Amino acid sequence: MKKRKICIISGSRADYGLLYWVIKELQFSTLLEPLLVVTGMHLSHEFGSTVSEIEKDNFRIDSRVEMLLSSDSSAGVAKSVGLGVIGFSDSFSLLKPDLILILGDRFEIFAAVQTALFQKIPVAHIAGGDITEGAFDESIRHSISKMSHIHFPTNEQARHRLMLMGENPKYIFNVGSPGIDYIKRMNVISRAELEKQLNVSLREKNILITLHPTTIGKQKDIDIVNALLDALSELDEKFGLIFTLSNADPAGRMISERVRKFVEKKTNAWAFQSLGQHLFLNLLSNVNMVVGNSSSGLYEAPSFKIPTVNIGERQRGRLRASSVIDCFPSSNDIQKAINSAMQLDCSQVINPYGEGNSSREIRRILESIDDYNSLLSKHFYIQKEE
């Protein structure tokens, strides 16, 4: 039997880390053939050329879609989406996939799904149904869901939202987050080896920090990053501060530049454009808390039994564990939240995003569906009251 071609799209360090074991599982399949298309920040030197991480993992890259403009403006992002549609149109025409498999809510992924819609290629979407009201990712995510045909939400609340959006409950599967799969199977290295590979000297207490643009919200990103850096300046030298830099959203470059200047003046601070999933997760296992507004503080950090200080509105509405402390983006509130996090006992925290078997479930479900094309014609399902 001819294998059906599953085209997986990855546009950043973030989604690749979550997709790693999904790609691996599909490689094990006797019924499905994974194709990998990389785009966005993966192909940008400015954002670490993280395509090299994929190559180190010995995954075959079937197509590269250049789409990211060197611009920190909303207009630049809109133009990048347009370039992406053109590039994905060429890639899909060449690869002729039977299904597109995508994760999340980035604008690069939005471009890919638009293209699939017009080329009549079914789409399977991981992590739909979530809420993040402080970012335009919120609208992108729900738009992708309406253009998708198979849904793999990461939690029960998200599954229910997809049903309320009129999606067919037969094809909505709560599989949890595939990021936990990586945590369960990760190769743990020693603290000394981690310090050697990162060329850092971890302190008595250590904080992992990632701040992305809010993109939608009342607070300005310049004020948020200044408040964060002011709060961190109040910590003494016993704290090690490890930053991963911002993404390609509007104002992302400004945030990264502010962080770089801050780090230059500190002996206890380091900044990385990208760590790769292996080093990132090993770093998570060696820090005392996560600070910022990245989804990793909600998705992955609870599995390591460490607290998260979640700043501002970017992740507003997303399901969170009891280890997450939300705070207003002012220096004083961030300081108070960090102090509270240092006292928080997270030993009994349960990660609400699954048990670490998401990738196998995704493979099993995709293998079990006989005809992807039969899903192209969608109906709006109205849920009956129980």
Side-chain angles (χ1 to χ4, degrees):
M1 179 184 291
K2 184 179 179 181
K3 289 186 177 183
R4 289 181 291 177
K5 294 187 286 188
I6 310 298
C7 184
I8 304 162
I9 315 292
S10 179
S12 70
R13 69 192 186 199
D15 67 24
Y16 174 64
L18 301 178
L19 287 167
Y20 177 89
W21 278 106
V22 176
I23 301 169
K24 279 284 191 183
E25 282 294 333
L26 293 181
Q27 285 183 329
F28 299 148
S29 176
T30 59
L31 302 175
L32 307 173
E33 176 189 358
L35 307 174
L36 183 57
V37 176
V38 298
T39 188
M41 289 182 280
H42 280 313
L43 304 178
S44 170
H45 176 74
E46 182 181 3
F47 291 96
S49 298
T50 47
V51 65
S52 62
E53 296 294 327
I54 301 175
E55 293 169 334
K56 287 178 185 176
D57 289 333
N58 294 316
F59 287 133
R60 185 188 75 227
I61 297 173
D62 297 279
S63 182
R64 301 174 189 231
V65 175
E66 295 274 5
M67 61 174 287
L68 195 61
L69 295 178
S70 183
S71 170
D72 209 13
S73 69
S74 298
V77 170
K79 292 176 182 178
S80 292
V81 172
L83 289 174
V85 171
I86 295 170
F88 285 118
S89 178
D90 292 338
S91 289
F92 296 165
S93 296
L94 179 66
L95 296 175
K96 295 180 169 44
D98 296 292
L99 181 82
I100 306 296
L101 178 62
I102 44 87
L103 182 147
D105 43 40
R106 294 282 308 158
F107 61 81
E108 300 94 334
I109 304 306
F110 186 49
V113 176
Q114 288 182 67
T115 308
L117 172 70
F118 292 116
Q119 293 194 6
K120 299 180 182 178
I121 306 170
V123 175
H125 183 204
I126 303 170
D130 278 356
I131 293 179
T132 53
E133 295 174 350
F136 55 42
D137 299 355
E138 169 82 352
S139 297
I140 292 175
R141 184 185 315 106
H142 298 324
S143 299
I144 290 173
S145 290
K146 291 307 297 182
M147 292 186 282
S148 298
H149 309 85
I150 303 168
H151 304 277
F152 296 118
T154 62
N155 59 88
E156 193 61 22
Q157 291 180 14
R159 186 187 75 87
H160 184 65
R161 291 190 196 101
L162 288 167
M163 292 171 61
L164 292 176
M165 290 168 64
E167 295 302 294
N168 188 345
K170 181 180 178 181
Y171 295 105
I172 305 175
F173 307 93
N174 177 9
V175 297
S177 171
I180 301 178
D181 297 26
Y182 204 119
I183 295 171
K184 296 293 185 181
R185 308 183 201 186
M186 66 184 281
N187 178 27
V188 179
I189 61 177
S190 68
R191 179 182 173 113
E193 179 62 24
L194 179 64
E195 289 180 315
K196 180 181 178 181
Q197 292 194 33
L198 295 180
N199 192 27
V200 303
S201 178
L202 295 177
R203 300 301 202 256
E204 178 184 340
K205 302 288 185 181
N206 298 281
I207 303 176
L208 180 57
I209 308 137
T210 307
L211 189 74
H212 295 305
T214 303
T215 68
I216 293 177
K218 298 176 182 178
Q219 290 81 32
K220 295 180 179 179
D221 290 305
I222 183 67
D223 295 332
I224 296 173
V225 67
N226 286 342
L228 170 61
L229 298 178
D230 287 346
L232 295 174
S233 294
E234 296 300 315
L235 298 173
D236 60 38
E237 289 285 323
K238 74 176 182 181
F239 284 90
L241 308 175
I242 304 98
F243 292 85
T244 58
L245 297 177
S246 190
N247 63 23
D249 285 344
R253 291 170 176 85
M254 176 276 295
I255 292 173
S256 293
E257 185 58 28
R258 295 286 297 171
V259 169
R260 288 191 186 97
K261 290 181 178 179
F262 175 86
V263 168
E264 286 174 0
K265 302 174 183 178
K266 297 284 185 178
T267 60
N268 63 327
W270 302 267
F272 298 91
Q273 186 62 65
S274 177
L275 291 169
Q277 193 74 349
H278 169 66
L279 288 176
F280 179 76
L281 293 179
N282 271 281
L283 187 55
L284 266 180
S285 70
N286 281 276
V287 299
N288 299 90
M289 75 176 73
V290 171
V291 173
N293 61 7
S294 170
S295 61
S296 61
L298 281 69
Y299 268 125
E300 284 91 40
S303 293
F304 293 92
K305 311 297 185 183
I306 58 173
T308 294
V309 173
N310 179 57
I311 300 171
E313 299 180 332
R314 183 178 175 88
Q315 299 297 335
R316 189 178 67 211
R318 196 189 286 274
L319 179 67
R320 61 249 288 127
S322 59
S323 54
V324 178
I325 299 173
D326 297 309
C327 74
F328 186 78
S330 71
S331 176
N332 187 53
D333 284 292
I334 294 170
Q335 288 179 52
K336 289 180 179 178
I338 290 174
N339 290 334
S340 296
M342 292 303 299
Q343 308 301 319
L344 189 62
D345 179 8
C346 297
S347 60
Q348 303 302 314
V349 166
I350 297 174
N351 193 322
Y353 289 101
E355 301 294 330
N357 59 354
S358 304
S359 302
R360 290 193 182 101
E361 275 297 287
I362 290 170
R363 168 188 164 185
R364 181 190 66 79
I365 292 164
L366 292 180
E367 288 177 337
S368 70
I369 298 173
D370 294 327
D371 183 6
Y372 298 144
N373 284 333
S374 67
L375 306 179
L376 284 171
S377 179
K378 294 177 64 173
H379 303 281
F380 192 100
Y381 282 80
I382 299 176
Q383 304 304 312
K384 296 180 181 179
E385 293 186 6
E386 297 181 358

